[in-house]
Amino acid sequence: MRIGELAAKAGTTTRTLRYYESRGLLPARRAVNGYREYDEDDLQLLRQIRTLQDFGFDLEETRPFVDCLRAGHPAGDSCPASLAVYRRKLAELDGLIDRLTDVRQQVARQLATAERAVAELAAGAEAPGGPEPRCEFDR
């Protein structure tokens, strides 16, 4: 199949395919007439790359999966190098989750503090430093 057909089947653009080719992720085979030629194996490579990118993997992180498929394995994640990338990505995600959990707790504490201050003001207590300023939206 030619580049336009492959792009359509993979749900991407010919520009993206040329970029993958330049990065060595997609083989650059040419017909006698100079047109790029692709087959179903190339479509499988593209689907693997796109799936991993949808999961948040950067393009270079997809390389071991592509290499695994090119080596003739039935799945891109059946090689040790691919498993190592999965492990690194999981560790990265765990770190992000931990950081987001910390940020969420800080925001929740700040909200609770702000809500207490608003409740005290509504109950008639004077704000520290003088009377409560009026909000421009409270009219």
Side-chain angles (χ1 to χ4, degrees):
M1 76 186 87
R2 293 193 18 204
I3 193 167
E5 184 181 353
L6 179 64
K9 284 185 175 186
T12 190
T13 64
T14 57
R15 183 177 178 186
T16 298
L17 299 184
R18 287 187 202 100
Y19 178 69
Y20 291 168
E21 181 183 311
S22 74
R23 298 292 305 266
L25 292 169
L26 192 61
R29 292 185 305 275
R30 301 275 181 165
V32 180
N33 61 8
Y35 292 137
R36 290 171 172 87
E37 285 190 335
Y38 301 98
D39 58 24
E40 291 300 317
D41 290 340
D42 299 319
L43 181 58
Q44 185 181 7
L45 288 177
L46 286 173
R47 287 183 174 148
Q48 178 76 77
I49 292 168
R50 306 257 315 154
T51 297
L52 292 168
Q53 287 191 305
D54 288 347
F55 290 163
F57 288 67
D58 66 39
L59 192 56
E60 199 53 39
E61 288 173 318
T62 69
R63 189 172 301 280
F65 298 85
V66 169
D67 292 344
C68 190
L69 285 170
R70 281 186 171 168
H73 294 272
D77 58 6
S78 58
C79 295
S82 302
L83 298 177
V85 173
Y86 274 152
R87 286 185 195 99
R88 280 194 305 272
K89 184 55 79 174
L90 279 175
E92 179 186 324
L93 291 170
D94 287 342
L96 290 170
I97 290 168
D98 290 346
R99 176 67 183 125
L100 286 172
T101 299
D102 290 345
V103 169
R104 187 193 185 291
Q105 289 171 350
Q106 291 171 16
V107 170
R109 282 192 299 271
Q110 192 65 33
L111 173 62
T113 300
E115 286 176 334
R116 279 192 303 276
V118 168
E120 288 173 7
L121 289 173
E126 191 171 294
E132 173 188 4
R134 288 195 40 82
C135 178
E136 64 183 82
F137 299 112
D138 290 342
R139 293 188 180 168

